[in-house]
Amino acid sequence: MASTAAGKQRIPKVAKVKNKAPAEVQITAEQLLREAKERELELLPPPPKQKITDEEELNDYKLKKRKGFEDNIRKNRTVISNWIKYAQWEESLKEVQRARSIYERALDVDHRNIALWLKYAEMEMKNRQVNHARNIWDRAITILPRVNQFWYKYSYMEEMLGNIAGCRQVFERWTEWEPEEQAWHSYINFELRYKEVDKARSIYERYTLLMGSNWIKYARFEEKHGYIAHGRKVFERSVEFFGEEHVNENLFVAFARFEEKQKEFERVRVIYKYALDRIPKHQAQELFKFYTVFEKKFGDRRGIEDVIVSKRRFQYEEEVKASPHNYDAWFDYLRLVESDADPDTAREVYERAIANIPPIQEKRHWRRYIYLWINYALYEELEVKDPERTRQVYQACLDLIPHKKFTFAKIWLLFGQFEIRQKNLQAARRGLGTAIGKCPKNKLFKGYIELELQLREFDRCRKLYEKYLEFAPENCTTWIKFSELETILGDTERARAIFELAIGQPRLDMPEVWISYAQYELSIDASDRLQRCRGIFEEGNKGLRSCEEKEERLMLLESWKEFEQEFGSDTTRERVKKLLPEKVKKRRKLTAEDGSDAGWEEYYDYIFPEDAANQPNLKLLAMAKMWKRQQQEEEDDDDDEEDEEDENRGISSSISISLAASPSRLNSGATERAVTCPCHSSRATDPSAFPMTARTKSEVSC
């Protein structure tokens, strides 16, 4: 820098950038690199070829190359490719000793490098240094015994040199390490190339026992060399080796096809059936396929059906194993077994099925299950013809059912019918009596009574009906059937007494008894039968007035109407006609489960004339109460007289309008609009319940 006279440093002038706007064409680093590559700016020219003319120049060249290789090795000793290139360069110069030295130095650096051992051994073999190569392979398989490539190349070298014993020794050393399957097959193929069948067999034997596989290849080896008995023995040993827990589909297929080639068709069937009984269905698709093909080729119709049945049995086995409480699957399985298998097999499946007791003691869970017992008992009785075992099945089922919570009348009745078929009447009665005493049900009583009716034991039927009515006095059908029994037996008084007892029951408000009673009286050949029948209808109509189900009362009136049309007069018909209800359509508000409004629905209701005449005018009562409440509010509010007069005028006019319309409503048949005059009705409402003014009372007076 230059100095001024004053001793100050001069600062050089820097050119100022006047235009700082970006250039129109932007150049990126990527673009620069691409253009440099396209123009080949970075390519270096190849070195000039050097021609060596004398030994001195050759030595200089070798020295220079060795120095370069050594420098690369010193920079990074772990790069094995540098060592290999160095050794191959020395080998190209026929400097085998130097190349060997380089490989040894490299092995000291990384003795587990597979490529290094292979290059080293290949160099010795190419230069026909057999003992050196053998030494290298021996060291390699000792240090890295799991590298199969060393064993393959070592055995191949010995076989190519004709050293069969040495090759066999290599394979023996290899098999001691229990290598993969291909190693054993290489050893077997080596022995077969020199016709050593016995030695190949011993290798197969060792391998199959050691690894537990290749039984099929072992058997095919025996078959290929004509040893059929040995091949069959191999298959049999394989089945024993795997057992029933680890069966193999392919093994049985190969065994069956082996026997098929030997024309042993019965053996083939036995093999397929044995396998199908032990292999899961999803693992036996090929087995079913080959079995079906075999039967189509060599079997008859029965054989093909056996294949189909076996396949279906496997499907059902899988279903019941996956879901033991799927009783529908058990039913299908049992139907198949019953149609095809022997009794012992079917009995075994039944025992397995009934062992799956429902986990919850609720009747809905037992409904399907109980039919397994029923089918079991029927199978033992009808198919096997074993009455004693059938009795044991019924008894075991009854002991299993929790009768205190629920029972099944069907089981008790079937047990009793079975004893009847066995001509053991006392046992049947004892069983049904136990059922009625332990867990009475309508169906039990009906079945027991029907049984005694068939035996013509009418006294027992009477006692059973009495017990039945004590158990369920509200059952109208029982009263009717009991009366019909007495009618059949000709005891009219007992039948009439039964009807009288029935209609006197407080819980019995059903019209069937009244109708049956009326029909009974009509059926008796007496002079007053019509009056008795009509009187029963009258009494029934009065008794059913309090019944909530209006359809039942209508049923009685319809039956009465039919009676009068056939046996009555015009007066009686007109009287019954006036009793018939009016069918009206109504609407009611629906409420959802969460309490919200669910809209409205229409329904039909029956309004009986007798009931409508006895009901007060509910709307009139409601209006009167509303008027009284408003009057009280008006008395409390004395601030604004004009507003009070207007309000009273509005309320009075509204009540007047409502009451003026009430005479037309008095004649309506609808329940909610019916009103009875307090002056004339015996069931009139207390007048004090209608707080009205004198003007209002005069408007509703009679």
Side-chain angles (χ1 to χ4, degrees):
M1 294 182 182
S3 299
T4 62
K8 295 181 180 180
Q9 293 181 350
R10 182 181 294 175
I11 299 174
K13 293 182 179 181
V14 180
K16 294 182 179 180
V17 179
K18 296 181 179 181
N19 186 6
K20 295 183 179 181
E24 295 181 359
V25 179
Q26 297 291 322
I27 301 175
T28 62
E30 181 182 0
Q31 184 177 356
L32 293 174
L33 292 174
R34 186 170 61 250
E35 290 177 356
K37 186 176 181 181
E38 290 175 355
R39 298 174 184 177
E40 297 182 352
L41 298 177
E42 295 183 356
L43 294 180
L44 298 176
K49 291 184 179 181
Q50 183 180 2
K51 187 174 183 181
I52 300 174
T53 58
D54 55 10
E55 185 177 356
E56 185 177 357
E57 290 181 356
L58 178 60
N59 292 333
D60 291 340
Y61 169 73
K62 290 180 180 180
L63 180 62
K64 183 179 179 181
K65 289 289 290 185
R66 286 190 181 113
K67 185 178 182 300
F69 281 122
E70 291 293 343
D71 290 340
N72 290 335
I73 291 173
R74 276 195 298 272
K75 290 178 183 177
N76 196 344
R77 290 170 53 84
T78 59
V79 180
I80 302 300
S81 60
N82 292 336
W83 293 96
I84 294 175
K85 290 177 182 178
Y86 190 8
Q88 289 177 344
W89 180 78
E90 292 290 355
E91 182 188 357
S92 65
L93 298 177
K94 305 300 181 182
E95 296 286 349
V96 178
Q97 189 62 34
R98 282 181 175 275
R100 189 177 291 129
S101 175
I102 295 168
Y103 277 121
E104 290 295 337
R105 289 168 59 196
L107 289 174
D108 290 338
V109 175
D110 186 6
H111 66 280
R112 303 186 68 83
N113 191 287
I114 298 174
L116 190 60
W117 287 103
L118 293 175
K119 296 294 183 182
Y120 191 7
E122 288 174 0
M123 182 198 74
E124 297 292 358
M125 288 191 295
K126 283 192 292 184
N127 291 280
R128 301 181 182 278
Q129 300 295 321
V130 177
N131 290 329
H132 281 282
R134 189 175 285 131
N135 177 267
I136 294 169
W137 288 127
D138 193 81
R139 289 164 59 193
I141 62 177
T142 303
I143 296 173
L144 301 171
R146 292 298 180 186
V147 181
N148 295 331
Q149 199 170 4
F150 293 163
W151 296 99
Y152 283 123
K153 287 186 175 291
Y154 192 8
S155 61
Y156 180 72
M157 184 190 76
E158 295 292 355
E159 187 176 1
M160 291 297 100
L161 294 173
N163 187 10
I164 307 302
C167 183
R168 186 176 289 114
Q169 186 180 6
V170 173
F171 275 117
E172 286 294 332
R173 289 177 61 187
W174 193 5
T175 54
E176 290 177 0
W177 289 95
E178 299 180 5
E180 60 186 13
E181 179 181 350
Q182 188 58 41
W184 294 90
H185 287 303
S186 298
Y187 191 11
I188 293 169
N189 293 333
F190 163 75
E191 296 292 356
L192 291 178
R193 283 196 294 270
Y194 297 97
K195 311 300 181 184
E196 297 289 348
V197 179
D198 292 335
K199 290 183 178 180
R201 181 183 292 115
S202 65
I203 298 169
Y204 262 123
E205 187 75 18
R206 287 162 53 196
Y207 173 58
T208 51
L209 292 177
L210 181 65
M211 299 297 179
S213 60
N214 256 351
W215 292 95
I216 298 175
K217 290 186 177 180
Y218 186 12
R220 287 175 179 172
F221 160 78
E222 298 288 1
E223 181 185 5
K224 181 179 179 181
H225 292 86
Y227 298 99
I228 304 301
H230 284 126
R232 183 177 291 117
K233 188 175 181 181
V234 169
F235 277 118
E236 293 173 353
R237 288 173 56 199
S238 67
V239 174
E240 295 176 0
F241 177 83
F242 286 108
E244 296 186 359
E245 297 181 356
H246 304 284
V247 289
N248 191 335
E249 178 189 20
N250 296 328
L251 180 63
F252 284 104
V253 171
F255 192 6
R257 298 186 72 178
F258 168 81
E259 295 292 356
E260 184 179 341
K261 291 179 182 178
Q262 312 307 320
K263 309 299 182 183
E264 296 286 349
F265 301 130
E266 290 302 321
R267 282 178 174 268
V268 176
R269 286 192 180 90
V270 172
I271 292 168
Y272 278 126
K273 291 182 179 180
Y274 178 86
L276 291 174
D277 290 338
R278 287 159 178 81
I279 298 179
K281 179 251 177 184
H282 62 276
Q283 300 177 4
Q285 299 298 326
E286 291 295 321
L287 195 65
F288 279 117
K289 175 183 175 182
F290 284 106
Y291 189 16
T292 306
V293 171
F294 166 77
E295 289 294 348
K296 288 180 179 179
K297 289 168 60 178
F298 304 103
D300 52 4
R301 180 178 179 181
R302 178 62 180 172
I304 298 174
E305 291 177 354
D306 289 341
V307 176
I308 298 173
V309 169
S310 300
K311 186 174 182 179
R312 292 176 60 192
R313 286 189 63 183
F314 258 76
Q315 293 174 349
Y316 292 138
E317 281 289 347
E318 292 299 315
E319 289 184 19
V320 298
K321 285 180 181 178
S323 179
H325 293 92
N326 184 5
Y327 301 120
D328 292 328
W330 282 109
F331 286 131
D332 296 337
Y333 190 12
L334 287 167
R335 279 195 294 269
L336 176 66
V337 171
E338 288 179 11
S339 63
D340 185 70
D342 57 292
D344 293 335
T345 304
R347 189 175 289 128
E348 179 187 358
V349 179
Y350 267 116
E351 293 292 338
R352 288 170 53 199
I354 61 178
N356 299 293
I357 303 173
I360 303 175
Q361 288 190 353
E362 293 182 8
K363 191 169 184 178
R364 60 190 180 90
H365 295 285
W366 285 62
R367 292 187 186 278
R368 295 294 294 164
Y369 169 72
I370 209 68
Y371 277 96
L372 290 173
W373 288 95
I374 295 174
N375 290 353
Y376 190 10
L378 294 177
Y379 175 75
E380 293 288 353
E381 180 186 2
L382 302 178
E383 300 295 334
V384 186
K385 310 293 184 183
D386 191 344
E388 186 59 35
R389 190 168 183 86
T390 305
R391 187 175 290 108
Q392 294 175 4
V393 172
Y394 277 121
Q395 194 61 50
C397 178
L398 292 174
D399 294 341
L400 181 65
I401 298 173
H403 299 288
K404 292 184 178 180
K405 294 186 177 181
F406 57 87
T407 189
F408 290 94
K410 184 181 290 291
I411 290 291
W412 293 102
L413 295 174
L414 288 174
F415 192 15
Q417 293 167 4
F418 162 74
E419 294 292 358
I420 293 294
R421 288 192 293 272
Q422 302 303 318
K423 299 180 180 180
N424 193 352
L425 182 59
Q426 294 301 323
R429 284 174 173 163
R430 184 168 56 251
L432 292 173
T434 302
I436 291 174
K438 184 181 293 186
C439 45
K441 289 185 65 176
N442 292 334
K443 193 173 181 180
L444 279 172
F445 280 106
K446 291 178 182 178
Y448 197 180
I449 292 171
E450 184 179 356
L451 175 64
E452 296 295 351
L453 281 175
Q454 293 176 356
L455 296 174
R456 299 295 187 269
E457 294 287 347
F458 301 114
D459 291 335
R460 289 182 176 272
C461 291
R462 287 193 177 102
K463 292 180 181 180
L464 289 173
Y465 270 122
E466 292 173 2
K467 294 289 184 182
Y468 192 3
L469 292 174
E470 291 177 5
F471 167 69
E474 71 279 358
N475 193 336
C476 64
T477 306
T478 309
W479 294 96
I480 295 172
K481 292 293 183 182
F482 193 7
S483 177
E484 288 178 356
L485 173 65
E486 297 296 349
T487 303
I488 293 173
L489 297 177
D491 198 335
T492 306
E493 295 301 324
R494 288 178 65 92
R496 184 177 288 112
I498 291 170
F499 276 118
E500 292 293 337
L501 287 173
I503 61 178
Q505 296 296 320
R507 288 185 293 176
L508 197 67
D509 54 357
M510 300 181 68
E512 288 85 350
V513 177
W514 294 99
I515 296 173
S516 299
Y517 190 10
Q519 291 176 351
Y520 166 74
E521 293 292 351
L522 185 63
S523 63
I524 297 176
D525 190 9
S527 59
D528 59 344
R529 63 189 184 101
L530 297 180
Q531 288 77 6
R532 283 181 174 273
C533 183
R534 188 175 289 109
I536 292 170
F537 278 122
E538 289 275 3
E539 188 177 357
N541 185 36
K542 293 178 182 179
L544 293 177
R545 284 179 182 176
S546 60
C547 181
E548 296 181 358
E549 298 294 334
K550 297 182 179 181
E551 289 81 1
E552 296 182 354
R553 186 178 176 186
L554 177 61
M555 185 190 306
L556 180 69
L557 291 175
E558 292 288 347
S559 180
W560 190 4
K561 179 182 177 182
E562 293 177 0
F563 163 75
E564 295 295 350
Q565 287 178 351
E566 184 176 358
F567 301 101
S569 61
D570 294 339
T571 304
T572 57
R573 294 191 191 98
E574 187 64 25
R575 181 170 178 273
V576 174
K577 186 176 181 181
K578 291 180 179 180
L579 294 175
L580 292 175
E582 177 186 359
K583 186 176 181 181
V584 295
K585 182 186 292 187
K586 293 185 178 181
R587 296 179 64 203
R588 56 189 169 194
K589 193 172 184 180
L590 297 178
T591 304
E593 295 181 358
D594 56 355
S596 61
D597 188 5
W600 295 78
E601 74 167 352
E602 291 185 350
Y603 70 99
Y604 288 97
D605 192 13
Y606 295 98
I607 299 177
F608 292 87
E610 295 177 333
D611 297 342
N614 295 329
Q615 291 182 358
N617 192 340
L618 299 181
K619 283 191 175 182
L620 183 62
L621 180 61
M623 292 292 294
K625 288 183 178 180
M626 183 180 67
W627 179 83
K628 182 179 180 180
R629 183 170 61 254
Q630 291 175 350
Q631 287 288 341
Q632 291 176 352
E633 292 175 356
E634 291 173 359
E635 291 175 0
D636 295 337
D637 188 8
D638 297 333
D639 295 337
D640 193 355
E641 295 180 357
E642 293 180 359
D643 295 339
E644 181 179 1
E645 291 177 359
D646 293 339
E647 186 176 0
N648 289 335
R649 189 180 299 110
I651 295 174
S652 177
S653 61
S654 63
I655 295 176
S656 299
I657 293 172
S658 300
L659 295 178
S662 61
S664 62
R665 295 174 182 173
L666 295 177
N667 297 327
S668 174
T671 303
E672 65 273 13
R673 290 182 289 180
V675 64
T676 306
C677 177
C679 304
H680 296 82
S681 174
S682 60
R683 298 183 182 180
T685 307
D686 186 5
S688 62
F690 296 85
M692 303 179 183
T693 62
R695 176 177 174 273
T696 307
K697 291 180 180 179
S698 63
E699 289 177 354
V700 296
S701 62
C702 297

